[in-house]
Amino acid sequence: MTTPPTPQQPQAQPQQPQAPHAPAPAPQPQGAYAGAVAAPQGPPAMVPAPPPAPAAPAPPSAWQQAMNNAYTSPIPVTKTNIGHALASEWTKIKSVRSTVWTLSIFLILVIGIGLLAVANTQSDDYQDVPFTVPAFFGLMLGQICLITLGVLVTSSEYGTGMIRTTFTASPQRYRVLAAKALIFFVVAFVASAGSILLVGLMASGAHSGPEAGDIPWAGSVFKGALYVSLLGVLALAVGSMLRHSAGAITTMLGVVLVPAILPGFLNIWESTAKLGDKMADYNAINSLAKIFRIDGIDSSSTGNSQLVLLVVITAAAVAGAFALLEKRDV
Amino acid sequence: MIEAVGLTKRYGAKTAVYNLSFQVRPGTVTGFLGPNGSGKSTTMRMILGLDAPSQGQVTIGGYPYRKLPNAPRQVGALLDAKAVHGGRHARNHLLCLAQLSGIPARRVDEVLGVVGLQDVARKRSKGFSLGMGQRLGIAAALLGDPQVLLFDEPVNGLDPEGILWVRNLMKSLAAEGRTVFVSSHLMSEMALTAEHLIVIGRGQLLADMSVTDFISANSADFARVRTPETEPQQREKLTAALTEAGGQVLPEQDGALRVMGLPLPRISDLAHGADVRLWELSPHQASLEEAYMRMTQGAVDYRSTVDQRAGLQQQLPPGAVPQPQPPVPGQGQPNWYAPPSPQQGGQPFAMPQGAPAAPPAPADANPYAAAPQAPAAAPSPAEHATDNTGTTDNKDAPR
């Protein structure tokens, strides 16, 4: 038994320090060995056997022996956390062309239309609106790009089948979705806030004459970027629930456009006029207009309630996406 | 180690996998076989926690997959070579998977080298051929240096060199003490790669045994006999003589005869006795493919029929007889791949050295007497599989 089969050696050795408790020197290693493999028929077989080496490997069934042989990677296994998922999602989002396309179109729309607007306005146009208003026009169109990107971040994985690879690599699905939402939100927020800020700086640089009212505009940068980024996160959640790019993008376009169109019809009838008014107040385009104080700085609507509504809807959609994610088969 | 206990998966009314229990052990390559739609991929997905079982459970090293703290470091899987975002570079694809389990980026370059994709590491995987996609999938499976590996059809689309590489890779991975679980439709490949087999059909376990046991349990060897083509009456004569002697004779497409239940020397003697010349008398060893076909023929869901091309043919003039089509081997012939099993369907063909043992001592006359009805009466251990035994005529209606 001094030379046990090599595979068992690492198993048997830790036991040997305990071996001196046994009375006879000869069966010592046997006992240690039997304890190590816990073979059911081991002990009776070993009592009479003076040459334990050939007898010992026999009792453990072939596969039990194989279990002891089982491969273990020399590289230590670390426990994973959300940080790993974030790094992975960051690699993912920056390594596909859809991100590049949607974001560049978004930037072109917001900055391009914004600069056009800056060029065609006078200082007195900014008397009671913030300098970020030129960004609003581009943002109305640009939000569709962020919606598309948000949908694609999740649904493209389902469309290509990548999701099975992803969830095999990280069976903690909630972590993947959380990382996706977080990374997307940061990307969308940085892109939109940056572009709004740029347009605002241009406008204030070009039109900071005495006619322009000195209206604070930092809030509209933050809230405007937050609003479109949340729309994108909502799209991401919808994409995760519907798992289909075209379906999710269409759904999101409906969410954005239908409440802007419907009030025209709803206001025809008295019974639905109230609903129509609410829709007109809270649809995505009008909400952005309120955030950018298009109605003038003295108007009572600051867009805060619209922002809160979107936060609530997005939170509900994200919660739904998480619930479905854990439940459904991939 | 993979352990499934009572695994069941239902999709609505359809049961894809029913009460499947098996163990996949480390240190060997375990093949996973079954006809199309038999539930192989569903089982693989349940092992990987992608699909939740309706009943039962499957664990890897004692844990359900979704409870593993760092799954890719313990289990690597290739499910579908096309399960990648085609717009992403091969390297970025692997990198995002590596980051997900805290594997350093240099390991990505390492596995790219292992699968031979280092030259296309910066190419979008959309443009990859099926074989390159398989290599990328294998790279993803190897990324975490895992203890357990699952491969679903790994050699699909690979070139011969790639197939050889995969075969050796599987064997070396198993030799290192890893658990390797491979599904494949390529029987010849399985026979070379796997040591152990798990066979399912219609979602149920058909066999869980070593490859050699599987072959011997599910097929028998036979002899191929050919008489001079110029003299068909000799063929009839020999058939009669062999049948009389207790052999089971099936005609083959090319005019040869398939003889089971008689050793080669005895066939030769009988032919000599009947004054029949032989052009060929050759032993045929059963292959894994034949054994597999025999075992699974009752569990095949998607069966091809003979293409009559009736939908394309012009209406024949009245009175004209359509040209009979020569039957295609294996098509519409349920027993084509199915020599009778050694246990019941008469004696297996035995090689000369096995001849003394093959006919049981008291049975010199016994099998001969029993033989004529044996082919019809005792088709196989899987009786449900062979409800029309012995018919070699062209039946194109699927059962």
Side-chain angles (χ1 to χ4, degrees):
Chain A
M1 197 54 210
T2 45
T3 56
T6 42
Q8 268 88 17
Q9 214 150 15
Q11 290 272 343
Q13 260 161 359
Q15 299 270 351
Q16 268 164 0
Q18 298 170 350
H21 297 293
Q28 264 177 26
Q30 288 176 18
Y33 181 74
V37 292
Q41 66 272 65
M46 279 177 201
V47 176
S61 60
W63 81 264
Q64 199 164 9
Q65 201 171 358
M67 280 308 290
N68 295 343
N69 264 336
Y71 179 83
T72 37
S73 175
I75 313 154
V77 176
T78 51
K79 213 164 160 13
T80 51
N81 53 44
I82 183 83
H84 294 114
L86 286 172
S88 168
E89 290 304 326
W90 173 238
T91 304
K92 276 186 194 170
I93 202 169
K94 71 181 181 179
S95 60
V96 289
R97 277 190 288 193
S98 57
T99 310
V100 178
W101 279 111
T102 49
L103 280 186
S104 22
I105 294 173
F106 173 80
L107 293 177
I108 289 167
L109 283 172
V110 176
I111 298 172
I113 295 177
L115 291 188
L116 275 177
V118 168
N120 290 298
T121 47
Q122 309 300 322
S123 296
D124 56 358
D125 291 333
Y126 298 92
Q127 211 164 20
D128 61 348
V129 293
F131 281 119
T132 46
V133 160
F136 160 72
F137 306 111
L139 217 50
M140 277 197 295
L141 294 171
Q143 62 185 354
I144 291 167
C145 297
L146 291 186
I147 285 169
T148 308
L149 179 59
V151 166
L152 286 180
V153 163
T154 46
S155 68
S156 76
E157 291 220 16
Y158 287 98
T160 56
M162 174 73 186
I163 196 72
R164 289 195 292 277
T165 310
T166 302
F167 284 163
T168 305
S170 172
Q172 292 79 14
R173 299 179 187 176
Y174 60 90
R175 190 186 286 163
V176 173
L177 184 60
K180 273 185 191 303
L182 221 68
I183 290 285
F184 168 78
F185 179 79
V186 169
V187 167
F189 188 82
V190 167
S192 48
S195 54
I196 297 169
L197 183 68
L198 186 71
V199 172
L201 287 174
M202 294 284 188
S204 73
H207 302 300
S208 60
E211 302 92 347
D214 193 17
I215 294 169
W217 50 277
S220 64
V221 173
F222 176 76
K223 286 199 286 182
L226 186 62
Y227 195 88
V228 291
S229 305
L230 281 176
L231 265 183
V233 174
L234 175 61
L236 183 146
V238 169
S240 172
M241 287 190 282
L242 297 187
R243 301 174 159 196
H244 190 272
S245 302
I249 291 174
T250 312
T251 305
M252 281 309 295
L253 286 183
V255 167
V256 170
L257 296 180
V258 169
I261 298 165
L262 265 190
F265 302 97
L266 294 178
N267 286 342
I268 299 173
W269 304 282
E270 202 155 324
S271 53
T272 54
K274 211 167 174 190
L275 182 65
D277 285 345
K278 278 276 177 256
M279 270 195 193
D281 263 359
Y282 282 89
N283 71 60
I285 290 164
N286 212 11
S287 301
L288 268 182
K290 288 187 195 307
I291 285 168
F292 283 95
R293 315 304 299 267
I294 291 288
D295 302 337
I297 196 70
D298 304 323
S299 158
S300 59
S301 53
T302 57
N304 282 347
S305 49
Q306 280 80 359
L307 198 55
V308 168
L309 176 70
L310 183 62
V311 168
V312 170
I313 291 174
T314 307
V318 169
F322 272 108
L324 283 177
L325 189 73
E326 294 294 322
K327 231 174 62 186
R328 287 199 288 193
D329 291 344
V330 182
Chain B
M1 190 186 82
I2 305 169
E3 187 167 18
V5 182
L7 209 55
T8 301
K9 181 69 185 177
R10 291 190 194 87
Y11 295 105
K14 181 167 168 54
T15 302
V17 173
Y18 181 70
N19 198 17
L20 202 57
S21 299
F22 60 83
Q23 286 179 344
V24 186
R25 283 141 205 187
T28 55
V29 177
T30 303
F32 192 31
L33 308 181
N36 286 344
S38 59
K40 294 191 300 295
S41 295
T42 306
T43 307
M44 288 255 189
R45 283 204 304 273
M46 285 195 281
I47 294 173
L48 295 172
L50 295 174
D51 287 12
S54 307
Q55 264 159 40
Q57 61 162 352
V58 55
T59 55
I60 296 180
Y63 290 94
Y65 190 83
R66 291 183 67 179
K67 297 278 183 293
L68 289 172
N70 191 342
R73 294 302 315 280
Q74 284 150 68
V75 185
L78 161 70
L79 273 195
D80 175 5
K82 290 287 163 196
V84 298
H85 192 303
R88 202 168 275 133
H89 298 164
R91 189 177 182 279
N92 277 333
H93 169 73
L94 293 175
L95 181 62
C96 72
L97 295 176
Q99 286 170 329
L100 211 44
S101 45
I103 297 165
R106 57 174 194 282
R107 173 71 185 155
V108 170
D109 299 311
E110 215 168 88
V111 290
L112 276 169
V114 168
V115 301
L117 288 181
Q118 60 273 66
D119 293 341
V120 290
R122 306 272 174 184
K123 292 263 184 347
R124 293 177 198 286
S125 55
K126 201 183 289 176
F128 280 15
S129 68
L130 184 55
M132 288 157 83
Q134 292 286 7
R135 286 169 186 268
L136 183 59
I138 293 170
L142 296 178
L143 202 55
D145 193 25
Q147 198 178 348
V148 177
L149 286 140
L150 286 90
F151 297 99
D152 198 358
E153 304 282 346
V155 295
N156 256 6
L158 284 178
D159 51 13
E161 198 247 330
I163 292 177
L164 180 66
W165 167 67
V166 167
R167 187 192 305 155
N168 292 334
L169 178 74
M170 306 273 156
K171 286 181 170 174
S172 66
L173 289 171
E176 287 170 354
R178 303 188 215 230
T179 307
V180 182
F181 194 41
V182 191
S183 86
S184 180
H185 287 124
L186 295 177
M187 289 303 136
S188 51
E189 197 48 46
M190 262 314 173
L192 288 170
T193 315
E195 289 170 54
H196 197 89
L197 286 183
I198 291 172
V199 185
I200 64 171
R202 299 219 167 111
Q204 300 189 48
L205 192 69
L206 294 181
D208 181 357
M209 54 178 80
S210 76
V211 173
T212 43
D213 289 351
F214 182 80
I215 294 176
S216 62
N218 288 290
S219 64
D221 297 342
F222 62 87
R224 181 170 287 123
V225 181
R226 196 183 299 275
T227 53
E229 280 153 28
T230 46
E231 296 155 73
Q233 73 279 7
Q234 291 218 339
R235 190 169 171 232
E236 308 300 320
K237 213 164 142 192
L238 182 65
T239 306
L242 292 174
T243 311
E244 200 185 331
Q248 194 189 340
V249 183
L250 290 172
E252 289 197 345
Q253 296 304 319
D254 56 358
L257 295 171
R258 192 182 265 211
V259 183
M260 283 154 284
L262 291 172
L264 282 185
R266 177 118 178 91
I267 295 171
S268 178
D269 289 350
L270 285 167
H272 186 73
D275 202 19
V276 176
R277 282 176 296 130
L278 296 184
W279 278 13
E280 181 186 345
L281 175 59
S282 61
H284 182 97
Q285 237 99 39
S287 67
L288 176 61
E289 180 177 30
E290 285 163 335
Y292 169 81
M293 290 294 187
R294 174 168 188 81
M295 158 149 275
T296 58
Q297 59 185 340
V300 172
D301 282 326
Y302 307 103
R303 197 186 294 276
S304 65
T305 60
V306 173
D307 186 0
Q308 304 284 4
R309 287 182 282 275
L312 297 172
Q313 262 164 7
Q314 288 180 331
Q315 212 71 39
L316 286 165
V321 183
Q323 201 79 28
Q325 300 216 340
V328 183
Q331 260 186 348
Q333 286 173 288
N335 278 348
W336 178 251
Y337 284 105
S341 82
Q343 292 89 350
Q344 290 186 37
Q347 259 173 284
F349 166 71
M351 293 294 288
Q353 64 267 32
D364 226 28
N366 205 0
Y368 294 177
Q373 81 262 25
S380 77
E383 284 86 359
H384 64 279
T386 54
D387 39 355
N388 47 0
T389 314
T391 51
T392 50
D393 50 330
N394 205 352
K395 288 206 169 181
D396 53 359
R399 283 164 294 156

